[in-house]
Amino acid sequence: MYCYKEKPEKLKTEHVIDPESDKKLRLYLRLGAVGLAAVLAAIGCIFVPITKLYDVGGIGRFILRAVLILVGAAAFYCVHDLVHSYVLKRLTGNTAKIVFENYHARCVSDTVFTLKGYLIYCFAPVFIIGVVLLILNLVLPDRLFWQVYIIQMINIAGAAGELYAAYRLIKEKKELAVLDDGEKLTYWT
């Protein structure tokens, strides 16, 4: 079972994870994402030196690479929420609405998940997109490594909030119901 038809009555204690209203949490999540990105960049340098990103043979080609990274990042953000929507539909039969605002998209649903269902829903885009980007990094030539790997860094480091939420939920060690409205996470124990 991945979701409830409605929040079970026996689960009464409400908890909220809301980075928008909790400035301290928002700062910690951003610092965590930056730290994770730095670690990922260091790992990438082990495989292909970052100088390959800049070694392009002229300003025109450098601008082209920068544009490719920006287009790739924009496509990533759209695909990320489409995967959330697809996984929600496959897991629960419910549909999600994708809302675009303030330069980002978010998947909005009123589905109340079980812990297992929420973890699948939450990490499916990171895993699926991560595997596709890993395959691209393995098959493309080294000169394209960093264009793909930067999107991978955004994918993984951008999951800092999901990692934190998963940590909090798993730490509960109780039955719980989870509602993620795309901005804040509410769960009941």
Side-chain angles (χ1 to χ4, degrees):
M1 182 165 96
Y2 298 110
C3 73
Y4 300 103
K5 295 205 182 297
E6 57 188 45
K7 180 185 82 64
E9 290 298 318
K10 65 182 177 179
L11 303 178
K12 303 240 186 254
T13 308
E14 183 176 283
H15 309 271
V16 177
I17 301 172
D18 186 4
E20 289 305 311
S21 65
D22 185 345
K23 291 180 178 164
K24 194 175 188 181
L25 175 60
R26 185 173 52 220
L27 174 65
Y28 288 149
L29 290 176
R30 287 181 180 167
L31 290 174
V34 169
L36 190 51
V39 168
L40 291 168
I43 291 169
C45 287
I46 293 169
F47 297 103
V48 176
I50 199 162
T51 55
K52 285 278 190 191
L53 179 62
Y54 306 110
D55 184 20
V56 291
I59 189 74
R61 287 188 181 179
F62 180 75
I63 291 172
L64 179 61
R65 282 194 179 183
V67 168
L68 284 173
I69 291 169
L70 290 173
V71 168
F76 157 77
Y77 283 116
C78 293
V79 170
H80 178 91
D81 283 308
L82 288 172
V83 171
H84 270 310
S85 180
Y86 175 77
V87 169
L88 177 72
K89 183 71 171 173
R90 298 293 298 169
L91 285 177
T92 67
N94 298 341
T95 56
K97 188 165 95 173
I98 297 175
V99 176
F100 293 92
E101 60 184 21
N102 298 333
Y103 305 107
H104 74 279
R106 60 185 171 90
C107 198
V108 178
S109 170
D110 58 358
T111 301
V112 179
F113 290 98
T114 63
L115 176 60
K116 180 180 178 181
Y118 178 72
L119 293 175
I120 293 169
Y121 167 78
C122 178
F123 289 113
V126 176
F127 179 77
I128 292 168
I129 294 169
V131 168
V132 169
L133 292 171
L134 175 63
I135 291 168
L136 286 173
N137 268 134
L138 294 173
V139 300
L140 292 173
D142 282 354
R143 64 187 164 85
L144 297 174
F145 175 86
W146 280 98
Q147 285 90 315
V148 175
Y149 193 69
I150 287 172
I151 308 303
Q152 183 75 287
M153 289 168 52
I154 293 169
N155 180 39
I156 295 170
E162 284 92 347
L163 290 167
Y164 173 75
Y167 167 75
R168 287 266 309 263
L169 295 172
I170 290 169
K171 197 171 94 170
E172 288 289 338
K173 295 184 181 174
K174 299 175 189 169
E175 182 182 351
L176 47 88
V178 183
L179 174 64
D180 184 351
D181 70 4
E183 286 186 349
K184 69 178 182 284
L185 181 97
T186 306
Y187 67 98
W188 296 271
T189 56

